[in-house]
Amino acid sequence: MADTRSTQGFEDTATHVNVKEYYGKVLKKTVDLKTNACMTPSSPVPLHIRQALKMVHPEVSDKYYGCGLVVPESLQGCRVLDLGSGSGRDCYMLSQLVGEEGYVTGIDMTEDQLEVARTYVDYHMKEFGYQKPNVRFVQGYIEALKEAGIEDGSCDVIISNCVVNLSPDKRRVLEEAFRVLKDGGEFYFSDVYSSGRLTEDLRRHRVLWGECISGALWWEDLLQLAGEVGFSAPRLVTAKPVTVDNSELQSILGDFRFVSATYRLFKVPAGARTPALVMYEGNVTGLEERFTLDTHYTFKVTEAVAVDGEVAEILIRSRFSEAFTVQRGAPAPPGAGVPKTDVVNPFELSQRKENAVPGPATGGCCGAKSTACCK
């Protein structure tokens, strides 16, 4: 029988118990990870984010087990939720990006990690020069945000860094994320995805689950689940291949392949969409010359671009509304291109970009030549 216990009305499954044991007891610091993937951002880190990370207490950074960085744009004044916040490194970095008028909530199920995060709240607020804390840490489960006190429509942005794959119920994670996001809000997250649906035998492998491999979704299932929950179509930001260098584990995995990918899901109304002509104003910090929404669209300042109706809806209703001029139904001038609606396969993208020079945006979960990793 599975080992479960009830926590605030949510059943703590054997999977949760194993993950908490791995990240609360087995791992003591970053160097205990079995791979170097967690230490490798998939793209260069902008200066203002590097500076924010330098302000984080060394113990918090040392006990952080996330994979690279997941930092969306335009966070000033936002209310941000970090799913699986671990020791709090990302939360303290985000605390600086949202500013004193914004607010960051980190949720994690591992008490040992939360203890580290909570220990340094006062330290960081003093370092940042804030009069009152703009960050808090909540014990709970990413499948049960309501039980943790996260209210409907209370978040502008949700981030997650190689954590969703650790959940045994991905649909519930997406449903909860959708519930707590405001209209126009965004779920911006990195995770590990598989080339097909993994077998039940693989999914029961504790080491591979702990290394964020055997809990990976088939990437096509993400597209379906997001739509069923109510999100806009997942927009792929970046992808990199993940390889398993351990020969014993690789033999167990067989022909399955894995990729780390960053997606963004928006909560915008469903219905008929009108294509539009958009122009980027260049007023997003660190992205004054160009703004990359996803693999389809990079907007250069003052350059007109034709977009599909869903992208137009996102730019109008999200926190990016003041960064773009959007003209629905406007005729596209020469050079504006045509709207792009095809689905991008993250495995194909990762292969195309494997030897290419990385772009300017942060994101991405795990580096190449490794297994995966998590907080």
Side-chain angles (χ1 to χ4, degrees), residues 156 177-178 181-187 226-227 229-235 264-273 293 308-321 328:
D156 297 295
F178 188 85
L181 279 173
K182 297 178 180 178
D183 290 340
E186 178 185 11
F187 184 16
V229 168
F231 280 111
S232 61
R235 311 203 71 86
R264 52 197 333 162
L265 312 181
F266 289 90
K267 183 177 179 178
V268 293
R273 306 286 171 77
L293 178 69
D308 62 87
E310 184 169 85
V311 170
E313 198 73 19
I314 288 170
L315 297 180
I316 289 170
R317 295 181 179 273
S318 71
R319 66 190 186 283
F320 302 129
S321 60
R328 284 193 176 108

Side-chain angles (χ1 to χ4, degrees), residues 169-229:
D169 192 346
K170 275 75 166 174
R171 176 185 291 275
R172 190 165 176 180
V173 173
L174 293 182
E175 289 173 343
E176 281 291 88
F178 188 85
R179 179 185 64 81
V180 304
L181 279 173
K182 297 178 180 178
D183 290 340
E186 178 185 11
F187 184 16
Y188 185 98
F189 68 112
S190 282
D191 224 300
V192 178
Y193 297 92
S194 60
S195 57
R197 290 194 185 98
L198 301 181
T199 66
E200 285 303 313
D201 284 344
L202 285 178
R203 290 173 58 79
R204 286 193 292 266
H205 197 289
R206 292 179 61 175
V207 173
L208 285 171
W209 192 284
E211 289 293 318
C212 297
I213 291 291
S214 62
L217 263 182
W218 179 32
W219 71 274
E220 292 193 29
D221 280 344
L222 172 67
L223 307 186
Q224 180 176 336
L225 280 176
E228 291 173 354
V229 168

Side-chain angles (χ1 to χ4, degrees), residues 155-174:
C155 302
D156 297 295
V157 179
I158 299 174
I159 70 163
S160 174
N161 193 343
C162 270
V163 169
V164 176
N165 66 80
L166 291 174
S167 170
D169 192 346
K170 275 75 166 174
R171 176 185 291 275
R172 190 165 176 180
V173 173
L174 293 182

Side-chain angles (χ1 to χ4, degrees), residues 23 30 33 35-43 45 64-71 82-84 89-90 160-166 188-192 210-213 238 240 242 260-262 362-368 370-375:
Y23 289 96
T30 305
L33 290 163
T35 77
N36 65 356
C38 294
M39 306 308 298
T40 309
S42 68
S43 303
V45 180
Y64 167 83
Y65 308 127
C67 316
L69 280 171
V70 181
V71 190
D82 182 3
L83 302 183
R89 188 200 72 167
D90 284 0
S160 174
N161 193 343
C162 270
V163 169
V164 176
N165 66 80
L166 291 174
Y188 185 98
F189 68 112
S190 282
D191 224 300
V192 178
E211 289 293 318
C212 297
I213 291 291
T238 186
K240 292 194 72 173
V242 172
S260 67
T262 301
T362 60
C365 178
C366 305
S370 63
T371 66
C373 57
C374 323
K375 290 185 181 178

